[in-house]
Amino acid sequence: DAKTTQPNSMESNEEEPVHLPCNHSTISGTDYIHWYRQLPSQGPEYVIHGLTSNVNNRMASLAIAEDRKSSTLILHRATLRDAAVYYCILNFGNEKLTFGTGTRLTIIP
Amino acid sequence: DAMVIQNPRYQVTQFGKPVTLSCSQTLNHNVMYWYQQKSSQAPKLLFHYYDKDFNNEADTPDNFQSRRPNTSFCFLDIRSPGLGDAAMYLCATSLYPGNQPQHFGDGTRLSIL
């Protein structure tokens, strides 16, 4: 499976936008980019996924670089409830999600 | 709301004593997954069912087995738990395999005495 690289931790102020980066330089043409997050004491939660074009949903936006070697998850206005570990995962259409170490996001009130 | 429900949230068992964890879903999804998440680590897939077809990950220990008697329920059986099996066990579902969002339960935290 292609690997992803994310910062171990990030901090952001409440009510400000958050940009969570993910590098995936060995991504293949058929790999989708998925983002999940895991709040404390909960199971992971699907956030968003995309292939080539930028994607938006009610939770976040996903910006994908033109060469697809990196992507950024954008939370438009962080709240305290967004404090979680965010996982960037590549999936080429099989069933398996291979979670990496993720980014622990801390929101500062 | 449709959801994935895991019971119990906390389970304690003795070393070597078989234990079963349960998962139910109201989403009517075709695929059910079991993940293991040890402390401060990422979730790791153990196996999954696509309808009645069982798919085991190559590195899942033989000590771990699963049953899916119907669409709604899936069980994780640990035949002889060791201390190293203490972990959070997460159940997830998706409508189909592949690039479909997976919906996770909140997990069962298993402790081994």
Side-chain angles (χ1 to χ4, degrees):
Chain A
D1 292 339
K3 301 295 184 190
T4 62
T5 304
Q6 299 177 253
N8 287 333
S9 62
M10 290 182 61
E11 288 185 349
S12 182
N13 293 321
E14 193 177 10
E15 299 186 3
E16 290 186 356
V18 182
H19 291 236
L20 294 160
C22 182
N23 287 322
H24 28 78
S25 58
T26 60
I27 192 170
S28 73
T30 54
D31 281 335
Y32 279 75
I33 302 158
H34 293 248
W35 284 83
Y36 284 74
R37 71 180 185 180
Q38 188 170 20
L39 279 66
S41 301
Q42 294 187 22
E45 175 186 26
Y46 167 79
V47 178
I48 201 167
H49 78 288
L51 182 62
T52 55
S53 303
N54 294 343
V55 185
N56 301 293
N57 66 22
R58 62 175 180 81
M59 289 182 69
S61 295
L62 175 60
I64 301 172
E66 196 169 335
D67 63 4
R68 301 208 328 123
K69 293 184 184 300
S70 65
S71 60
T72 303
L73 180 69
I74 302 165
L75 307 178
H76 294 285
R77 191 167 170 270
T79 70
L80 296 178
R81 293 181 60 210
D82 292 320
V85 178
Y86 286 78
Y87 295 100
C88 169
I89 303 166
L90 300 184
N91 184 289
F92 58 92
N94 69 2
E95 302 85 347
K96 187 173 181 174
L97 288 182
T98 302
F99 287 79
T101 53
T103 296
R104 182 172 299 277
L105 177 65
T106 301
I107 305 298
I108 302 168
Chain B
D1 286 344
M3 56 177 54
V4 180
I5 302 165
Q6 293 188 244
N7 284 309
R9 288 296 309 273
Y10 301 91
Q11 176 75 55
V12 181
T13 192
Q14 292 179 332
F15 182 93
K17 185 175 181 181
V19 64
T20 296
L21 309 182
S22 70
C23 176
S24 65
Q25 54 129 343
T26 60
L27 297 161
N28 205 31
H29 281 176
N30 298 298
V31 192
M32 295 188 77
Y33 309 81
W34 280 103
Y35 289 82
Q36 179 192 61
Q37 185 174 24
K38 294 188 176 180
S39 182
S40 301
Q41 296 184 20
K44 180 176 179 294
L45 182 65
L46 294 173
F47 28 57
H48 74 275
Y49 272 96
Y50 180 18
D51 289 332
K52 296 181 180 179
D53 292 333
F54 178 70
N55 297 272
N56 199 27
E57 291 300 302
D59 55 356
T60 297
D62 293 340
N63 202 24
F64 290 83
Q65 296 178 336
S66 186
R67 295 170 285 134
R68 190 180 184 186
N70 53 52
T71 300
S72 301
F73 286 88
C74 196
F75 300 98
L76 170 62
D77 300 309
I78 308 176
R79 287 191 296 184
S80 183
L83 297 178
D85 297 328
M88 175 77 81
Y89 289 89
L90 295 160
C91 175
T93 72
S94 66
L95 184 57
Y96 294 108
N99 287 301
Q100 295 275 325
Q102 291 190 15
H103 300 256
F104 284 80
D106 284 336
T108 294
R109 183 166 296 282
L110 179 66
S111 299
I112 314 294
L113 298 180

